[in-house]
Amino acid sequence: MEAFAVPIGSSSVRALSRHPSATATVSCFESWRTSSRALFGAGRQALAGTIGAVTFSLTRLVRARRARRPRVPRRGWGDDVKFFDGSVKSNVEAANGLRLITLEAPAEVAEPYKRGGQFLQAKADDESKPSFYAISSAPGGSLEFLIKDVPSNDWITGSSTGDVLKVSPVMGKGFDTSCQAWEEADVNQVSLFATGSGVAPMRAVIESKALAGKACRMYYGAREESSMAYADRFDEWRRAGVEIVPVLSQGAEAWTGRHESTRGPPAHDLWLIW
């Protein structure tokens, strides 16, 4: 059994799963043969009429099914999103090139936050284009974000306490570790992979205790030790049952841990990758 949860990028949250016990449903249409006479002359008109009738019937069937399908409200790219006023509570350096930013936001923003891996949209003002940021704190507390300090994020990484910005309600499904697929597969080993600011949602998953009782190992990649956020939390995470494996691409000579050329991790039941 092997399952994967693979959110792609730091601005969105998407999932992909694979399980050997899953069955594929293939819709097949029975083919039929017609006589050579039906393919010519008047028979061709009859065949054309049959195809038209089948097409009309299928169109009606699709429309009927769409009409019965329940509409599930979703928010994301292209959808109308309502923004609320939020404010910066604190902005501190988390690591070299990374800022840890805590926001104060109304209940409409924070209430949908239930699982690690969820995110929200934020922008400087009503006229600005929003960006997507994964939440790094566990549900139930302040909204914290680990944001890369690059020019496109200057408006928020350079913010000060009390600055006002626009934020959307929390979005996405996050990592559903209590879903039916996990229960049926009896997942008890989990590998987590993150690099740079991608450790943000992993922190949320770990500190929410969603992985309690499972054998967990997180491979955390960074350029150098000074670029590794949350190093001060590693001992706490280990006590929570998560083995932390730091991997550096440009570690100093004194670095005794793993380098990016080190052989990859062993197979686990589930991988969470950001």
Side-chain angles (χ1 to χ4, degrees):
M1 186 283 298
E2 212 173 19
F4 297 85
V6 189
I8 302 174
S10 61
S11 66
S12 65
V13 183
R14 300 177 186 173
L16 170 67
S17 63
R18 184 181 68 187
H19 193 286
S21 64
T23 57
T25 302
V26 182
S27 298
C28 301
F29 288 93
E30 187 115 357
S31 62
W32 70 90
R33 295 182 179 180
T34 59
S35 65
S36 57
R37 181 177 300 175
L39 295 177
F40 299 93
R44 182 178 297 175
Q45 295 180 358
L47 180 59
T50 302
I51 293 175
V54 171
T55 303
F56 177 73
S57 298
L58 288 176
T59 301
R60 292 188 61 185
L61 177 61
V62 170
R63 288 176 178 173
R65 287 186 175 179
R66 285 179 178 173
R68 293 196 303 267
R69 185 180 302 165
R71 293 185 177 273
V72 179
R74 296 183 299 173
R75 291 188 295 265
W77 296 273
D79 297 332
D80 291 332
V81 178
K82 184 176 181 180
F83 285 84
F84 299 83
D85 285 341
S87 62
V88 177
K89 185 176 181 180
S90 66
N91 180 356
V92 299
E93 185 180 50
N96 185 25
L98 296 172
R99 306 294 299 184
L100 178 61
I101 299 175
T102 303
L103 299 182
E104 289 185 338
E108 292 90 342
V109 171
E111 194 279 330
Y113 186 33
K114 305 298 180 183
R115 304 188 187 102
Q118 291 183 272
F119 58 95
L120 56 66
Q121 296 184 46
K123 56 184 180 179
D125 50 51
D126 289 329
E127 304 304 319
S128 300
K129 181 179 179 180
S131 298
F132 293 69
Y133 299 108
I135 305 170
S136 68
S137 52
S142 300
L143 294 178
E144 297 182 8
F145 302 84
L146 184 66
I147 301 177
K148 191 173 183 179
D149 194 1
V150 294
S152 59
N153 287 327
D154 279 349
W155 68 273
I156 189 167
T157 56
S159 62
S160 302
T161 300
D163 285 355
V164 176
L165 65 163
K166 298 291 184 177
V167 289
S168 73
V170 173
M171 301 175 171
K173 296 181 180 179
F175 298 116
D176 188 0
T177 57
S178 60
C179 65
Q180 183 178 356
W182 276 51
E183 294 177 356
E184 291 179 351
D186 192 24
V187 172
N188 52 31
Q189 295 183 350
V190 181
S191 285
L192 302 93
F193 297 82
T195 61
S197 61
V199 74
M202 300 306 178
R203 174 202 167 193
V205 172
I206 294 171
E207 296 188 1
S208 68
K209 297 180 172 55
L211 301 175
K214 303 184 186 301
C216 302
R217 181 185 294 128
M218 183 174 77
Y219 294 86
Y220 180 17
R223 178 173 297 178
E224 51 196 13
E225 278 189 90
S226 62
S227 303
M228 191 164 283
Y230 301 135
D232 58 334
R233 294 178 176 269
F234 287 177
D235 287 340
E236 177 185 342
W237 295 352
R238 291 186 179 106
R239 287 192 294 270
V242 180
E243 180 185 354
I244 307 299
V245 183
V247 183
L248 301 182
S249 61
Q250 298 180 16
E253 290 185 6
W255 173 253
T256 58
R258 298 198 183 190
H259 295 266
E260 65 176 4
S261 58
T262 306
R263 186 176 178 179
H268 269 50
D269 283 352
L270 186 98
W271 293 7
L272 296 181
I273 306 175
W274 196 275

